[in-house]
Amino acid sequence: MTTLATGTEPGDRVEDNERGASTLEQFVAAANEALARGEFTRARQQLRAAFKLSRGDGELALALGHAELNGGDLNSALAAYTAAVAQLPNVALPHACRGLALQLLGQSVEAGRAAHRALSLEATQVIALKVLARIQLNAGQREQAQQSCRRILKRHANDSDARHMLDEARRHQSNPAKNGPNTPPAPPAAVVSEGLKILEALSGDYAARTRAWRSLGPEHLLQSLCAGDYEAPIRIVHAPSTPAPAPDHFAVPPVDLTTGHGSGDLTEYLASGAGSAAMLREVMARGGVTLQAGDSMLDWGGGAGRVIRNFADEARRGVNVWGCDVHGPSIEWAKNHLSPPFKFFNNLALPQLPFSEGAFKVICGFSVFTHLVVTRDLWLLELRRVLRPDGCLVLTIHDENTWAWYRKNGMPQWMPAAMRGLAEMPGELVEIRGSSRDNCHTFFHSGYVRRIWGQYFRVAEIIPGAERHQTAVVLKAL
C-alpha cells in the first residue's frame, strides 16, 4: 500500500490504549509501520481509528477499504469504499473498488452499476473491467466477457486474472450444451445446483433465469415469499447511528440506497429529489389538486424517500405522507431516519396495498413502471382502487421520447445489441427482460398509454422530459 498522507491539524485526538497514538497522523504512521512489518490486522486497526477522526477523507476511506478487503471483511470493505465514493464521486477507483466488494458479496446488479460508473470516468479502469468480466462470465455472456478481458490485456498484456477469465470464456464457448432438435436448451448444471445464488448472477439472461425458476419449482417460491431465503439463522438489528443532516435537516441515505440517483454524489441525489417534487407540485397545481390536513399522499416505489423528504411542510401540517418500496433495506433506513414526520412500509411485489378504497388524494411512482414487465395492469387497478375520485396519479415512464433521447445521448449499456441501432421505438410496447427488476426495462408508446391505461383512468396529461429522459403520465379517475 502507498504511504498515506494527511492534512489534519495536530489537535485532532482520540485515545488508543494499545500504543498511545492520539492524532490522525500518528494513526496513519502506525498503519504504515504495521504494513511494512506485515502486521495487517494491526494496520486495519490503526486505519479504522484514523478514519474515525477524518470520515471526510476519501483517500483514507479508500485505503481502509483496501485493508478490510485484504483482511476478508467484505462488508466493512464495502462500507469504506462507499464512503470513499461519497467523498470522491468523480474518481474512478473508488467506484471500481466498491464494485469489486459488491461482486464478491454476490450483489451483481449493484456491482455492475458501480463498474460502469467507474468506466464512465476512466474507460480503461482495470478493476472495473475485471468486475464486469466476472459478472458477464457468471451470466453466461461469453463474448462480452472476452471483450472485457481483451480491453485489459491490451494495456496489461501479462494480467493473470484477465488471461484466466479469457481462457474460461473460451472453454465454455467451445463446448456448448448439446440438445435435441426439438428440446429447449437445458439449464447449465450450475443453475440447477446453485439455485437462487445463480439467479442473481444471470444478469440480463432472461431465458436462463426462467429455466432456473422452473427447476426450483413452486414450493421454493412459496417458501421465499412466506419465510424468506436466508443462510444466516439469526439477524440482530441495532439502533441506527445519527448521521449529519442535509440542508433539509434530514439524514442522507448511504450511496448504495440511492438507486443510482446522483451517481454517488449525495448533493446531486438531493437535487434530483427536489426536482421530482417540484414537478409533482406543478402537475398538482395545473390539475387543481391540493393537499390539506387529513389528506394522504403515497410515494409508491419511492426507495429511501428521495422525493417525499421534500414534502415535510405538508406532513407537519397534518397531511399523511406515506412512502413504500419492495426494497427492504431502503424502507428500513427510511423508517429509522425520516420517520417522523413521514410514514413508510415495505410493500410486496404483488399488487396489493394495505389501504382502503380512495385512501390517497395524490399518488406518485417515479421510475417504477419503467421496470415492470409483469403485473402492470394489476398494479394500475390497485392504484386506481386506493386513489380518491378527486385525486391524481403521476407515473414516470420510458416512451418514444425516451427512445429518441437515448438515440441522441447514447444508448445505455443494458440496451440489447439488436435494438441499439433502431432510430425509433420499434413497437407500441417494448419489454427488455432481465434477471431482476433493475435489469428489466419497459417502453410504452404514448398511444399505448392512452389506449390501454385509458381503460382504467382518464389520461389527463403526458409530459415528455418531465424527469430528464422520462415522461410523466398524469392519470385521474374516470
Side-chain angles (χ1 to χ4, degrees), residues 317-378:
R317 68 169 185 257
V319 176
N320 298 302
V321 183
W322 286 89
C324 68
D325 201 280
V326 294
H327 189 241
S330 292
I331 292 300
E332 186 172 356
W333 183 91
K335 286 179 179 178
N336 285 326
H337 295 95
L338 301 181
S339 180
F342 309 109
K343 306 172 184 181
F344 296 92
F345 65 97
N346 190 186
N347 65 286
L348 298 172
L350 301 175
Q352 180 181 3
L353 294 171
F355 295 97
S356 61
E357 293 183 7
F360 295 101
K361 193 170 186 179
V362 174
I363 305 174
C364 61
F366 291 95
S367 198
V368 181
F369 269 82
T370 52
H371 297 287
L372 286 186
V373 174
V374 295
T375 71
R376 288 192 300 260
D377 288 349
L378 294 178

Side-chain angles (χ1 to χ4, degrees), residues 44-364:
R44 287 203 307 278
Q45 292 172 346
Q46 296 298 319
L47 286 172
R48 288 170 183 169
F51 186 60
K52 288 181 180 178
L53 283 177
S54 185
R55 294 186 180 276
D57 188 330
E59 294 290 345
L60 185 58
L62 190 60
L64 176 59
H66 297 336
E68 300 288 14
L69 191 68
N70 289 332
D73 190 339
L74 297 180
N75 287 304
S76 294
L78 175 59
Y81 287 140
T82 298
V85 164
Q87 298 301 324
L88 303 169
N90 297 317
V91 178
L93 182 58
H95 291 280
C97 292
R98 181 171 177 270
L100 175 60
L102 286 163
Q103 189 263 322
L104 292 172
L105 285 165
Q107 300 180 38
S108 59
V109 173
E110 290 295 327
R113 287 177 176 169
H116 281 294
R117 173 57 178 160
L119 293 172
S120 72
L121 295 167
E122 182 184 332
T124 58
Q125 217 299 320
V126 173
I127 295 174
L129 287 171
K130 288 183 180 180
V131 170
L132 279 186
R134 174 47 58 191
I135 292 172
Q136 290 159 347
L137 275 173
N138 291 345
Q141 299 169 349
R142 310 300 171 191
E143 292 184 3
Q144 295 93 320
Q146 290 184 52
Q147 291 173 5
S148 297
C149 292
R150 291 190 186 105
R151 289 174 65 184
I152 299 170
L153 294 170
K154 186 176 180 180
R155 296 179 66 88
H156 305 277
N158 296 318
D159 190 292
S160 59
D161 292 332
R163 288 196 171 279
H164 175 77
M165 287 190 287
L166 183 60
D167 290 342
E168 183 180 344
R170 286 169 172 167
R171 284 197 306 273
H172 283 281
Q173 197 168 39
S174 61
N175 294 286
K178 295 181 180 180
N179 299 284
N182 298 317
T183 304
V191 171
V192 177
S193 62
E194 294 290 336
L196 281 181
K197 179 180 177 183
I198 281 296
L199 290 177
E200 287 304 312
L202 296 173
S203 177
D205 191 339
Y206 177 77
R209 177 174 71 96
T210 54
R211 291 197 300 270
W213 274 121
R214 291 181 187 129
S215 72
L216 293 172
E219 295 83 2
H220 182 85
L221 177 59
L222 184 62
Q223 166 72 11
S224 298
L225 286 172
C226 296
D229 187 3
Y230 308 109
E231 293 183 4
I234 298 172
R235 180 189 180 217
I236 299 174
V237 179
H238 297 284
S241 59
T242 304
D248 61 6
H249 306 297
F250 294 114
V252 179
V255 172
D256 59 331
L257 297 184
T258 59
T259 60
H261 292 281
S263 300
D265 185 329
L266 294 177
T267 300
E268 287 298 317
Y269 168 80
L270 294 173
S272 74
S276 298
M279 184 272 284
L280 179 57
R281 283 197 174 92
E282 183 179 338
V283 167
M284 290 165 55
R286 281 204 302 270
V289 177
T290 60
L291 288 169
Q292 306 296 332
D295 291 339
S296 298
M297 73 171 289
L298 172 65
D299 184 8
W300 173 64
R306 178 184 69 94
V307 176
I308 62 169
R309 64 188 296 140
N310 296 279
F311 286 84
D313 289 344
E314 286 84 352
R316 290 179 180 127
R317 68 169 185 257
V319 176
N320 298 302
V321 183
W322 286 89
C324 68
D325 201 280
V326 294
H327 189 241
S330 292
I331 292 300
E332 186 172 356
W333 183 91
K335 286 179 179 178
N336 285 326
H337 295 95
L338 301 181
S339 180
F342 309 109
K343 306 172 184 181
F344 296 92
F345 65 97
N346 190 186
N347 65 286
L348 298 172
L350 301 175
Q352 180 181 3
L353 294 171
F355 295 97
S356 61
E357 293 183 7
F360 295 101
K361 193 170 186 179
V362 174
I363 305 174
C364 61

